[in-house]
Amino acid sequence: KMLDTWKQAYLDVRKKIEQSGRDARWEFDRKKLFERSDYIAQVCTDIYNMIQTIDEFHNIFGPELKAVTGDPDRIEAVLMRVDSLVLNIETVRFDPYNPANRHEWKNVMARFQREVKLIEDEANSFIDESFQSLRSAEGAFDMLHNFKHIRARDAINTTMMKKFTEILATFEKEVDAINDIFQECKKSPPISKNQPRVAGAISWSRSLFQRIKQTV
């Protein structure tokens, strides 16, 4: 930001001088003025984007996804690969801010993007598999709702938003299971001791209804 601001400040002052017509125009070599600072600004932007990418992965593979999929070990394995992305910066053996190393820095960024793509593909595959055997429709709905308000990888967010069909299928199974319980026990519902038979039956049926209503 500072490097971009200084360049813009130069251009603004140069424009004012030209418009005033009072002083000699600034005819400096822009390549000498800005080549290095522009390059450093780009490298800073690259590093910022790398950090953003790692942060977005962590937003996705949080406790909500662990709770819904029931596979925390696999999620932790993915997060270990995500955290290893920072090695692309930590293991650099050259000055990334030196324009003479432009080619080497491009190679670093290309390797980073390849690794990100592999993690995205693995993440999408994991999500596809997990949502076919959801533990809870309610938890999955909550998670998708939360995903609308967090910054995450576009490719994975797109996959997540396509999972409503799987969630509805899970919810349908939950409704069928509640209905089976109701049909099996409606003639002699389980009630607490000392609870009136009718009041107990009503309380039991309401508890079944609440289990479905909560997800809705």
Side-chain angles (χ1 to χ4, degrees):
K1 182 68 175 178
M2 179 182 67
L3 295 171
D4 291 336
T5 300
W6 113 259
K7 181 178 181 180
Q8 189 59 49
Y10 167 86
L11 295 175
D12 290 343
V13 172
R14 184 179 187 275
K15 184 177 179 179
K16 289 179 181 179
I17 292 174
E18 290 179 352
Q19 292 175 341
S20 69
R22 293 193 303 268
D23 300 305
R25 295 178 59 183
W26 283 7
E27 297 295 349
F28 302 113
D29 188 335
R30 292 196 185 186
K31 184 176 181 180
K32 290 183 178 179
L33 283 175
F34 302 121
E35 181 180 28
R36 184 175 179 82
S37 61
D38 283 349
Y39 176 74
I40 293 174
Q42 181 57 56
V43 172
C44 290
T45 299
D46 290 341
I47 294 174
Y48 174 79
N49 290 336
M50 294 168 81
I51 295 171
Q52 287 281 88
T53 296
I54 294 173
D55 189 44
E56 288 170 355
F57 275 125
H58 276 277
N59 287 340
I60 296 165
F61 296 103
E64 295 89 353
L65 189 61
K66 291 180 181 180
V68 170
T69 61
D71 195 351
D73 291 339
R74 188 170 178 184
I75 291 176
E76 286 298 329
V78 174
L79 284 176
M80 287 181 65
R81 291 190 62 187
V82 170
D83 290 337
S84 70
L85 289 172
V86 75
L87 295 176
N88 287 280
I89 302 175
E90 291 180 346
T91 58
V92 164
R93 293 293 180 265
F94 59 88
D95 180 4
Y97 299 109
N98 187 339
N101 297 322
R102 188 187 308 268
H103 180 69
E104 287 81 357
W105 180 248
K106 284 184 177 180
N107 288 338
V108 169
M109 291 303 302
R111 183 169 63 251
F112 177 82
Q113 294 300 334
R114 286 195 300 270
E115 293 173 3
V116 167
K117 183 62 169 58
L118 290 173
I119 295 175
E120 284 184 339
D121 290 344
E122 181 178 349
N124 283 327
S125 176
F126 168 62
I127 291 170
D128 283 335
E129 295 171 11
S130 298
F131 271 75
Q132 292 174 7
S133 56
L134 285 174
R135 302 176 68 190
S136 164
E138 179 186 350
F141 273 127
D142 288 342
M143 184 179 68
L144 288 186
H145 177 73
N146 291 337
F147 259 65
K148 294 179 181 179
H149 307 290
I150 67 172
R151 186 183 69 252
R153 301 294 298 165
D154 288 341
I156 298 177
N157 249 349
T158 299
T159 298
M160 295 292 288
M161 291 300 108
K162 293 178 180 178
K163 294 306 169 186
F164 283 103
T165 301
E166 284 91 339
I167 297 174
L168 288 174
T170 299
F171 180 58
E172 183 179 2
K173 293 177 182 178
E174 292 176 0
V175 172
D176 289 341
I178 294 295
N179 183 59
D180 290 342
I181 294 173
F182 178 78
Q183 294 298 333
E184 180 181 349
C185 302
K186 65 181 180 180
K187 293 183 179 179
S188 180
I191 61 177
S192 302
K193 290 183 178 181
N194 302 321
Q195 191 174 30
R197 185 173 183 277
V198 174
I202 293 173
S203 177
W204 169 74
S205 62
R206 282 182 175 175
S207 69
L208 295 179
F209 173 69
Q210 288 298 326
R211 287 167 64 179
I212 299 174
K213 181 181 178 182
Q214 185 66 28
T215 301
V216 176

